[in-house]
Amino acid sequence: MKRTMAVMAGLVACLGAVPAGQARAQTATCAPRAQVIEKLASKYGETRQSIGLGSNNAVMEVFASAETGTWTITVTSPAGLTCLVASGQAFEPLAEALPAPESDA
């Protein structure tokens, strides 16, 4: 919880660099992608672990640190605005295989 608040506070500080008209349309948990990525890397040591394309061409990314176990999920709009969706601790990378299909016989 403290980490989430710290990330949000850092992103709010980043919003000061956004033009006033654009800042009014943003929530406190969004900022230009480059600023979000830099903050996740420099403050938490998180790097991108996975990526996916969502609805309306939004890009979902998972950032995590193997060293600290922290993780953050972001969504970036086609316009380049990145918003925090969730964050937490105890990240563990997995590569699970699908279960073997059952036969009908």
Side-chain angles (χ1 to χ4, degrees):
M1 179 73 167
K2 288 181 183 179
R3 181 182 172 277
T4 301
M5 296 304 291
V7 170
M8 288 182 190
L11 291 176
V12 169
C14 290
L15 290 176
V18 177
Q22 197 175 8
R24 277 186 241 117
Q26 299 174 14
T27 65
T29 58
C30 300
R33 185 178 186 282
Q35 292 176 346
V36 173
I37 303 314
E38 190 280 326
K39 182 65 80 177
L40 292 175
S42 66
K43 189 157 184 162
Y44 301 102
E46 294 182 5
T47 60
R48 186 167 59 185
Q49 303 295 311
S50 62
I51 187 170
L53 190 60
S55 62
N56 299 326
N57 292 321
V59 176
M60 184 281 310
E61 297 170 289
V62 177
F63 294 84
S65 169
E67 206 170 284
T68 65
T70 63
W71 57 267
T72 304
I73 299 173
T74 65
V75 173
T76 303
S77 72
L81 185 65
T82 298
C83 298
L84 296 178
V85 175
S87 64
Q89 299 178 14
F91 178 80
E92 293 185 33
L94 298 175
E96 294 180 345
L98 288 173
E102 295 183 28
S103 64
D104 291 337

